[in-house]
Amino acid sequence: MALTVTPLSPACGAEIGGVDLSKPLDKATTDAIYRAWLDHIVLVFRGQKMEESDQRRFAATFGTVGERARPVERRAEGADYDGRFMLITNVRDEKGQPIGSLPDGEMWFHQDMVFVEVPNSATMLNAIEIPSTGGNTRFASLYRAWEMTPERIKRRIGGRRALQTFNYHMVGRFDPNAPGAQQPNLRQAWQPAVLTHPVSGRKALMVNRLMTVRIEGLPEDESRAILDELYDIIEDPAGIYEHVWAVDDLLIWDNLASAHARTDFPPTERRLLRRLMIQGQKLAV
Ligand code: SIN
């Protein structure tokens, strides 16, 4: 079977055909897939019945599969579950306890793990159970967002850092003054506001509506106004690929070249995806 690469939108996303990810792939195939991932930012593989071991093996062709940053005692999956996998799910056990993370509803645009010093380079999701409607994942190209950014903003944010924050419960923007905001599980890190991608060498915006608090060194009002303008650029529908999930879909996306969001879905229906992440590197401003 020959590998096929079919673009899914002008900004990002390509469907890869002609591979069975439940079996080891040869180097020429994994090299071609890696190249397509760099070019298209989000890769979609349909109809992949995979065990956890298959998912780990395929993920390892993109780099070192990372351990989760969340402390083991705060993981709903339990201490015995493989610490590299996160279950993204609203499913609860017989006692009503969540069996995974990021349970219900909409999530704003964000990049995974940018609130730790070394964010992951890629995220992989494998769909196990999917609701009949909603729960779509939307992807925005941050290369395109940089290209669309007006010069007056490029001049103000170039060479600066942005503060990225998450408290493991957020689905909307962090408010540092809200009651309980400064709780012990709050994570935050400074990252470049504009990234030179460590592999492609291309420039990408690196701010997002969910996690970015402010741009370093700018007055608060200016920082907020610039961020709001940038979010509108990132979330422009013309730059989005929206993935409507089916069971056995596998997606892997470039976490540094894209932001992603999730649409709402009925809380009465089950949604379960298995996530792995590929280790990244400290990012230079
Ligand atoms: C995530 O942000 O990693 C979750 C995306 C999703 O649930 O679609």
Side-chain angles (χ1 to χ4, degrees), residues 4-60:
T4 58
V5 181
T6 310
L8 294 166
S9 89
C12 60
E15 182 168 339
I16 305 295
V19 280
D20 176 357
L21 302 181
S22 70
K23 306 211 162 54
L25 302 174
D26 61 34
K27 184 159 181 333
T29 305
T30 56
D31 285 353
I33 291 173
Y34 188 81
R35 186 69 249 167
W37 172 78
L38 274 179
D39 290 345
H40 295 280
I41 305 172
V42 184
L43 296 185
V44 174
F45 301 80
R46 298 278 193 184
Q48 302 291 334
K49 279 229 168 302
M50 300 174 85
E51 302 295 332
E52 288 174 1
S53 55
D54 300 322
Q55 192 177 343
R56 275 197 306 264
R57 183 187 57 243
F58 181 53

Short mmCIF file of all heavy atoms in Angstrom, two decimals, residues 4-60:
data_model
loop_
_atom_site.label_atom_id
_atom_site.label_comp_id
_atom_site.label_asym_id
_atom_site.label_seq_id
_atom_site.Cartn_x
_atom_site.Cartn_y
_atom_site.Cartn_z
N THR A 4 -0.42 7.84 1.25
CA THR A 4 -1.04 8.99 0.59
C THR A 4 -1.16 10.14 1.60
O THR A 4 -1.37 9.91 2.79
CB THR A 4 -2.45 8.67 0.05
OG1 THR A 4 -3.27 8.21 1.13
CG2 THR A 4 -2.38 7.59 -1.03
N VAL A 5 -1.03 11.37 1.10
CA VAL A 5 -1.13 12.57 1.94
C VAL A 5 -2.16 13.49 1.29
O VAL A 5 -1.92 14.01 0.20
CB VAL A 5 0.23 13.30 2.04
CG1 VAL A 5 0.13 14.54 2.92
CG2 VAL A 5 1.32 12.36 2.57
N THR A 6 -3.32 13.68 1.95
CA THR A 6 -4.39 14.48 1.36
C THR A 6 -4.67 15.69 2.25
O THR A 6 -5.17 15.53 3.37
CB THR A 6 -5.68 13.63 1.25
OG1 THR A 6 -5.36 12.41 0.61
CG2 THR A 6 -6.75 14.36 0.47
N PRO A 7 -4.31 16.91 1.79
CA PRO A 7 -4.56 18.10 2.62
C PRO A 7 -6.05 18.24 2.96
O PRO A 7 -6.93 17.91 2.15
CB PRO A 7 -4.08 19.26 1.74
CG PRO A 7 -3.09 18.63 0.81
CD PRO A 7 -3.62 17.24 0.54
N LEU A 8 -6.32 18.74 4.19
CA LEU A 8 -7.69 18.84 4.68
C LEU A 8 -8.19 20.28 4.77
O LEU A 8 -9.39 20.50 4.92
CB LEU A 8 -7.78 18.18 6.07
CG LEU A 8 -7.54 16.66 6.07
CD1 LEU A 8 -7.31 16.16 7.49
CD2 LEU A 8 -8.71 15.93 5.43
N SER A 9 -7.28 21.23 4.74
CA SER A 9 -7.70 22.64 4.73
C SER A 9 -6.52 23.45 4.22
O SER A 9 -5.38 22.96 4.25
CB SER A 9 -8.10 23.12 6.14
OG SER A 9 -6.99 23.63 6.84
N PRO A 10 -6.74 24.68 3.77
CA PRO A 10 -5.61 25.47 3.27
C PRO A 10 -4.57 25.77 4.35
O PRO A 10 -3.39 25.90 4.05
CB PRO A 10 -6.27 26.77 2.80
CG PRO A 10 -7.72 26.48 2.67
CD PRO A 10 -8.04 25.37 3.62
N ALA A 11 -4.98 25.86 5.64
CA ALA A 11 -4.05 26.29 6.69
C ALA A 11 -3.28 25.14 7.30
O ALA A 11 -2.08 25.24 7.56
CB ALA A 11 -4.81 27.02 7.79
N CYS A 12 -3.95 24.04 7.55
CA CYS A 12 -3.29 22.90 8.21
C CYS A 12 -4.16 21.65 8.12
O CYS A 12 -5.34 21.74 7.81
CB CYS A 12 -2.97 23.21 9.66
SG CYS A 12 -4.39 23.62 10.70
N GLY A 13 -3.52 20.51 8.43
CA GLY A 13 -4.24 19.25 8.43
C GLY A 13 -4.05 18.48 7.14
O GLY A 13 -4.15 19.04 6.05
N ALA A 14 -3.71 17.20 7.28
CA ALA A 14 -3.64 16.30 6.13
C ALA A 14 -4.03 14.91 6.60
O ALA A 14 -3.68 14.51 7.72
CB ALA A 14 -2.25 16.29 5.52
N GLU A 15 -4.76 14.21 5.75
CA GLU A 15 -5.11 12.83 6.08
C GLU A 15 -4.08 11.91 5.43
O GLU A 15 -3.74 12.06 4.26
CB GLU A 15 -6.52 12.49 5.57
CG GLU A 15 -6.90 11.06 5.94
CD GLU A 15 -8.37 10.74 5.73
OE1 GLU A 15 -9.19 11.69 5.66
OE2 GLU A 15 -8.69 9.54 5.62
N ILE A 16 -3.57 10.98 6.24
CA ILE A 16 -2.58 10.03 5.75
C ILE A 16 -3.28 8.70 5.51
O ILE A 16 -3.95 8.17 6.41
CB ILE A 16 -1.45 9.82 6.78
CG1 ILE A 16 -0.81 11.16 7.17
CG2 ILE A 16 -0.41 8.85 6.25
CD1 ILE A 16 -0.08 11.88 6.07
N GLY A 17 -3.12 8.17 4.32
CA GLY A 17 -3.70 6.87 3.98
C GLY A 17 -2.60 5.88 3.65
O GLY A 17 -1.42 6.24 3.50
N GLY A 18 -2.99 4.62 3.56
CA GLY A 18 -2.04 3.60 3.11
C GLY A 18 -1.11 3.08 4.19
O GLY A 18 -0.08 2.48 3.86
N VAL A 19 -1.45 3.32 5.47
CA VAL A 19 -0.62 2.75 6.55
C VAL A 19 -1.50 2.07 7.60
O VAL A 19 -2.63 2.51 7.85
CB VAL A 19 0.26 3.80 7.29
CG1 VAL A 19 1.49 4.13 6.53
CG2 VAL A 19 -0.53 5.03 7.66
N ASP A 20 -0.96 1.02 8.19
CA ASP A 20 -1.62 0.33 9.30
C ASP A 20 -0.73 0.53 10.53
O ASP A 20 0.34 -0.06 10.63
CB ASP A 20 -1.76 -1.16 8.95
CG ASP A 20 -2.35 -1.96 10.10
OD1 ASP A 20 -2.58 -1.38 11.18
OD2 ASP A 20 -2.55 -3.18 9.92
N LEU A 21 -1.18 1.38 11.45
CA LEU A 21 -0.34 1.76 12.58
C LEU A 21 -0.29 0.70 13.67
O LEU A 21 0.43 0.85 14.66
CB LEU A 21 -0.81 3.10 13.16
CG LEU A 21 -0.84 4.28 12.19
CD1 LEU A 21 -1.32 5.55 12.89
CD2 LEU A 21 0.54 4.51 11.56
N SER A 22 -1.05 -0.39 13.50
CA SER A 22 -0.97 -1.47 14.49
C SER A 22 0.24 -2.35 14.21
O SER A 22 0.53 -3.28 14.96
CB SER A 22 -2.25 -2.30 14.49
OG SER A 22 -2.32 -3.05 13.28
N LYS A 23 0.96 -2.04 13.10
CA LYS A 23 2.16 -2.83 12.76
C LYS A 23 3.37 -1.89 12.69
O LYS A 23 3.22 -0.72 12.34
CB LYS A 23 1.98 -3.48 11.39
CG LYS A 23 0.71 -4.31 11.29
CD LYS A 23 0.88 -5.48 10.35
CE LYS A 23 -0.20 -6.51 10.56
NZ LYS A 23 -1.58 -6.00 10.47
N PRO A 24 4.57 -2.42 13.00
CA PRO A 24 5.76 -1.55 12.86
C PRO A 24 5.90 -1.06 11.42
O PRO A 24 5.59 -1.79 10.47
CB PRO A 24 6.92 -2.50 13.23
CG PRO A 24 6.30 -3.60 14.02
CD PRO A 24 4.89 -3.77 13.47
N LEU A 25 6.38 0.17 11.27
CA LEU A 25 6.56 0.77 9.93
C LEU A 25 8.05 0.84 9.61
O LEU A 25 8.87 1.00 10.51
CB LEU A 25 5.98 2.19 9.92
CG LEU A 25 4.50 2.32 10.29
CD1 LEU A 25 4.11 3.79 10.37
CD2 LEU A 25 3.62 1.58 9.27
N ASP A 26 8.39 0.76 8.31
CA ASP A 26 9.81 0.88 7.97
C ASP A 26 10.25 2.35 8.00
O ASP A 26 9.42 3.27 8.06
CB ASP A 26 10.12 0.22 6.61
CG ASP A 26 9.35 0.89 5.48
OD1 ASP A 26 9.14 2.11 5.54
OD2 ASP A 26 8.95 0.18 4.54
N LYS A 27 11.57 2.56 7.96
CA LYS A 27 12.11 3.92 8.16
C LYS A 27 11.66 4.88 7.06
O LYS A 27 11.35 6.05 7.33
CB LYS A 27 13.64 3.87 8.27
CG LYS A 27 14.23 5.23 8.57
CD LYS A 27 15.60 5.15 9.15
CE LYS A 27 16.19 6.52 9.48
NZ LYS A 27 15.74 7.66 8.73
N ALA A 28 11.61 4.38 5.82
CA ALA A 28 11.20 5.27 4.72
C ALA A 28 9.78 5.79 4.97
O ALA A 28 9.48 6.97 4.72
CB ALA A 28 11.27 4.51 3.40
N THR A 29 8.92 4.93 5.50
CA THR A 29 7.53 5.35 5.77
C THR A 29 7.48 6.33 6.93
O THR A 29 6.80 7.37 6.85
CB THR A 29 6.65 4.11 6.06
OG1 THR A 29 6.79 3.20 4.97
CG2 THR A 29 5.19 4.49 6.23
N THR A 30 8.19 6.03 8.03
CA THR A 30 8.13 6.96 9.17
C THR A 30 8.78 8.31 8.80
O THR A 30 8.31 9.36 9.22
CB THR A 30 8.78 6.38 10.45
OG1 THR A 30 10.12 6.00 10.17
CG2 THR A 30 8.00 5.19 10.97
N ASP A 31 9.82 8.27 7.96
CA ASP A 31 10.43 9.55 7.52
C ASP A 31 9.42 10.36 6.70
O ASP A 31 9.32 11.59 6.86
CB ASP A 31 11.66 9.29 6.65
CG ASP A 31 12.87 8.86 7.49
OD1 ASP A 31 12.77 8.89 8.73
OD2 ASP A 31 13.90 8.47 6.89
N ALA A 32 8.67 9.69 5.83
CA ALA A 32 7.69 10.40 4.99
C ALA A 32 6.56 10.97 5.85
O ALA A 32 6.08 12.09 5.61
CB ALA A 32 7.14 9.46 3.92
N ILE A 33 6.16 10.21 6.87
CA ILE A 33 5.10 10.69 7.77
C ILE A 33 5.60 11.91 8.57
O ILE A 33 4.90 12.91 8.71
CB ILE A 33 4.62 9.56 8.71
CG1 ILE A 33 3.87 8.49 7.89
CG2 ILE A 33 3.74 10.09 9.83
CD1 ILE A 33 3.51 7.23 8.67
N TYR A 34 6.84 11.84 9.03
CA TYR A 34 7.41 12.96 9.80
C TYR A 34 7.47 14.22 8.93
O TYR A 34 7.13 15.32 9.36
CB TYR A 34 8.80 12.59 10.32
CG TYR A 34 9.38 13.60 11.27
CD1 TYR A 34 9.01 13.61 12.61
CD2 TYR A 34 10.30 14.56 10.83
CE1 TYR A 34 9.53 14.56 13.49
CE2 TYR A 34 10.82 15.50 11.71
CZ TYR A 34 10.43 15.49 13.04
OH TYR A 34 10.95 16.43 13.90
N ARG A 35 7.88 14.04 7.69
CA ARG A 35 7.96 15.17 6.75
C ARG A 35 6.56 15.78 6.54
O ARG A 35 6.37 17.01 6.56
CB ARG A 35 8.53 14.64 5.42
CG ARG A 35 8.83 15.62 4.34
CD ARG A 35 9.99 16.51 4.66
NE ARG A 35 9.52 17.89 4.87
CZ ARG A 35 10.25 18.87 5.41
NH1 ARG A 35 11.47 18.65 5.81
NH2 ARG A 35 9.76 20.07 5.56
N ALA A 36 5.56 14.90 6.37
CA ALA A 36 4.18 15.39 6.18
C ALA A 36 3.70 16.14 7.42
O ALA A 36 3.00 17.15 7.32
CB ALA A 36 3.26 14.22 5.87
N TRP A 37 4.09 15.65 8.60
CA TRP A 37 3.70 16.30 9.87
C TRP A 37 4.31 17.70 9.97
O TRP A 37 3.63 18.66 10.34
CB TRP A 37 4.16 15.39 11.01
CG TRP A 37 4.02 15.93 12.38
CD1 TRP A 37 2.87 16.01 13.13
CD2 TRP A 37 5.07 16.45 13.22
NE1 TRP A 37 3.16 16.55 14.36
CE2 TRP A 37 4.50 16.82 14.45
CE3 TRP A 37 6.44 16.61 13.05
CZ2 TRP A 37 5.24 17.36 15.49
CZ3 TRP A 37 7.19 17.15 14.08
CH2 TRP A 37 6.58 17.51 15.29
N LEU A 38 5.58 17.82 9.57
CA LEU A 38 6.21 19.14 9.60
C LEU A 38 5.50 20.09 8.61
O LEU A 38 5.30 21.26 8.90
CB LEU A 38 7.68 19.04 9.20
CG LEU A 38 8.70 18.73 10.28
CD1 LEU A 38 10.10 18.66 9.66
CD2 LEU A 38 8.66 19.74 11.42
N ASP A 39 5.14 19.56 7.47
CA ASP A 39 4.53 20.40 6.42
C ASP A 39 3.08 20.77 6.75
O ASP A 39 2.64 21.88 6.45
CB ASP A 39 4.53 19.67 5.07
CG ASP A 39 5.95 19.56 4.51
OD1 ASP A 39 6.86 20.26 5.00
OD2 ASP A 39 6.15 18.73 3.59
N HIS A 40 2.32 19.82 7.31
CA HIS A 40 0.87 20.01 7.45
C HIS A 40 0.41 20.25 8.88
O HIS A 40 -0.78 20.47 9.13
CB HIS A 40 0.13 18.80 6.86
CG HIS A 40 0.33 18.65 5.38
ND1 HIS A 40 -0.37 19.40 4.46
CD2 HIS A 40 1.19 17.88 4.68
CE1 HIS A 40 0.04 19.08 3.24
NE2 HIS A 40 0.99 18.16 3.34
N ILE A 41 1.30 20.13 9.86
CA ILE A 41 1.05 20.49 11.27
C ILE A 41 0.16 19.46 12.00
O ILE A 41 0.45 19.10 13.13
CB ILE A 41 0.47 21.92 11.41
CG1 ILE A 41 1.41 22.93 10.72
CG2 ILE A 41 0.24 22.29 12.86
CD1 ILE A 41 0.85 24.34 10.62
N VAL A 42 -0.92 19.03 11.35
CA VAL A 42 -1.83 18.06 11.97
C VAL A 42 -1.99 16.88 11.01
O VAL A 42 -2.34 17.10 9.84
CB VAL A 42 -3.24 18.66 12.20
CG1 VAL A 42 -4.14 17.66 12.94
CG2 VAL A 42 -3.16 19.99 12.93
N LEU A 43 -1.73 15.67 11.49
CA LEU A 43 -1.95 14.49 10.64
C LEU A 43 -3.12 13.67 11.19
O LEU A 43 -3.23 13.47 12.40
CB LEU A 43 -0.70 13.60 10.58
CG LEU A 43 0.54 14.21 9.94
CD1 LEU A 43 1.63 13.15 9.85
CD2 LEU A 43 0.26 14.82 8.57
N VAL A 44 -3.96 13.20 10.28
CA VAL A 44 -5.14 12.42 10.62
C VAL A 44 -5.00 11.03 10.00
O VAL A 44 -4.77 10.91 8.79
CB VAL A 44 -6.41 13.11 10.04
CG1 VAL A 44 -7.65 12.24 10.26
CG2 VAL A 44 -6.60 14.50 10.64
N PHE A 45 -5.12 10.01 10.83
CA PHE A 45 -5.12 8.62 10.36
C PHE A 45 -6.48 8.03 10.73
O PHE A 45 -6.82 8.01 11.92
CB PHE A 45 -4.01 7.80 11.03
CG PHE A 45 -2.62 8.34 10.83
CD1 PHE A 45 -2.14 9.40 11.58
CD2 PHE A 45 -1.78 7.76 9.89
CE1 PHE A 45 -0.85 9.90 11.40
CE2 PHE A 45 -0.48 8.24 9.70
CZ PHE A 45 -0.03 9.31 10.46
N ARG A 46 -7.24 7.58 9.78
CA ARG A 46 -8.57 7.04 10.06
C ARG A 46 -8.49 5.52 10.21
O ARG A 46 -7.63 4.86 9.61
CB ARG A 46 -9.53 7.35 8.90
CG ARG A 46 -9.76 8.84 8.64
CD ARG A 46 -10.79 9.40 9.58
NE ARG A 46 -11.26 10.74 9.17
CZ ARG A 46 -12.10 11.45 9.88
NH1 ARG A 46 -12.59 10.99 11.02
NH2 ARG A 46 -12.48 12.64 9.46
N GLY A 47 -9.44 4.98 10.99
CA GLY A 47 -9.63 3.52 11.06
C GLY A 47 -8.44 2.76 11.60
O GLY A 47 -8.13 1.67 11.11
N GLN A 48 -7.77 3.30 12.63
CA GLN A 48 -6.59 2.64 13.20
C GLN A 48 -6.97 1.96 14.51
O GLN A 48 -7.17 2.62 15.51
CB GLN A 48 -5.48 3.66 13.45
CG GLN A 48 -5.06 4.42 12.21
CD GLN A 48 -4.33 3.55 11.20
OE1 GLN A 48 -3.72 2.54 11.55
NE2 GLN A 48 -4.40 3.94 9.93
N LYS A 49 -7.11 0.64 14.46
CA LYS A 49 -7.38 -0.12 15.69
C LYS A 49 -6.04 -0.35 16.37
O LYS A 49 -5.21 -1.09 15.86
CB LYS A 49 -8.00 -1.47 15.36
CG LYS A 49 -9.46 -1.42 15.08
CD LYS A 49 -10.24 -2.48 15.87
CE LYS A 49 -11.73 -2.24 15.81
NZ LYS A 49 -12.16 -0.94 16.30
N MET A 50 -5.84 0.27 17.52
CA MET A 50 -4.51 0.22 18.13
C MET A 50 -4.59 -0.15 19.59
O MET A 50 -5.46 0.34 20.32
CB MET A 50 -3.83 1.58 18.03
CG MET A 50 -3.64 2.07 16.62
SD MET A 50 -2.99 3.75 16.62
CE MET A 50 -1.26 3.42 16.77
N GLU A 51 -3.64 -0.96 20.02
CA GLU A 51 -3.43 -1.19 21.45
C GLU A 51 -2.56 -0.05 21.97
O GLU A 51 -1.94 0.67 21.19
CB GLU A 51 -2.70 -2.53 21.67
CG GLU A 51 -3.41 -3.75 21.09
CD GLU A 51 -4.74 -4.01 21.78
OE1 GLU A 51 -4.88 -3.65 22.97
OE2 GLU A 51 -5.64 -4.55 21.11
N GLU A 52 -2.46 0.04 23.29
CA GLU A 52 -1.59 1.08 23.87
C GLU A 52 -0.15 0.91 23.38
O GLU A 52 0.55 1.89 23.10
CB GLU A 52 -1.64 1.02 25.40
CG GLU A 52 -2.97 1.52 25.93
CD GLU A 52 -3.12 1.35 27.44
OE1 GLU A 52 -2.20 0.84 28.09
OE2 GLU A 52 -4.20 1.72 27.94
N SER A 53 0.30 -0.35 23.27
CA SER A 53 1.69 -0.60 22.83
C SER A 53 1.92 -0.12 21.38
O SER A 53 2.98 0.39 21.05
CB SER A 53 2.05 -2.08 22.95
OG SER A 53 1.11 -2.84 22.23
N ASP A 54 0.89 -0.25 20.53
CA ASP A 54 1.01 0.24 19.14
C ASP A 54 1.13 1.76 19.13
O ASP A 54 1.92 2.34 18.39
CB ASP A 54 -0.23 -0.15 18.32
CG ASP A 54 -0.44 -1.64 18.25
OD1 ASP A 54 0.56 -2.38 18.16
OD2 ASP A 54 -1.62 -2.08 18.31
N GLN A 55 0.30 2.38 19.96
CA GLN A 55 0.32 3.85 20.00
C GLN A 55 1.68 4.34 20.49
O GLN A 55 2.24 5.29 19.94
CB GLN A 55 -0.82 4.36 20.89
CG GLN A 55 -1.03 5.87 20.75
CD GLN A 55 -2.20 6.39 21.56
OE1 GLN A 55 -3.07 5.63 22.00
NE2 GLN A 55 -2.24 7.69 21.77
N ARG A 56 2.21 3.67 21.53
CA ARG A 56 3.53 4.08 22.06
C ARG A 56 4.62 3.90 20.99
O ARG A 56 5.47 4.75 20.81
CB ARG A 56 3.90 3.24 23.29
CG ARG A 56 3.36 3.77 24.59
CD ARG A 56 4.10 3.16 25.76
NE ARG A 56 4.08 1.71 25.68
CZ ARG A 56 3.21 0.92 26.32
NH1 ARG A 56 2.29 1.45 27.09
NH2 ARG A 56 3.27 -0.38 26.18
N ARG A 57 4.54 2.77 20.25
CA ARG A 57 5.58 2.49 19.23
C ARG A 57 5.53 3.55 18.13
O ARG A 57 6.56 4.09 17.72
CB ARG A 57 5.36 1.08 18.63
CG ARG A 57 6.43 0.68 17.63
CD ARG A 57 6.10 -0.64 16.94
NE ARG A 57 4.81 -0.59 16.29
CZ ARG A 57 3.76 -1.35 16.62
NH1 ARG A 57 3.88 -2.26 17.59
NH2 ARG A 57 2.61 -1.23 15.99
N PHE A 58 4.31 3.87 17.66
CA PHE A 58 4.22 4.87 16.60
C PHE A 58 4.64 6.25 17.11
O PHE A 58 5.37 6.98 16.44
CB PHE A 58 2.80 4.90 16.03
CG PHE A 58 2.64 5.90 14.91
CD1 PHE A 58 3.51 5.88 13.82
CD2 PHE A 58 1.64 6.86 14.94
CE1 PHE A 58 3.40 6.82 12.80
CE2 PHE A 58 1.51 7.80 13.92
CZ PHE A 58 2.39 7.77 12.85
N ALA A 59 4.22 6.59 18.33
CA ALA A 59 4.59 7.90 18.90
C ALA A 59 6.11 8.04 18.95
O ALA A 59 6.66 9.12 18.69
CB ALA A 59 3.98 8.07 20.28
N ALA A 60 6.80 6.95 19.27
CA ALA A 60 8.27 7.01 19.44
C ALA A 60 8.98 7.32 18.12
O ALA A 60 10.17 7.70 18.14
CB ALA A 60 8.77 5.70 20.02
#
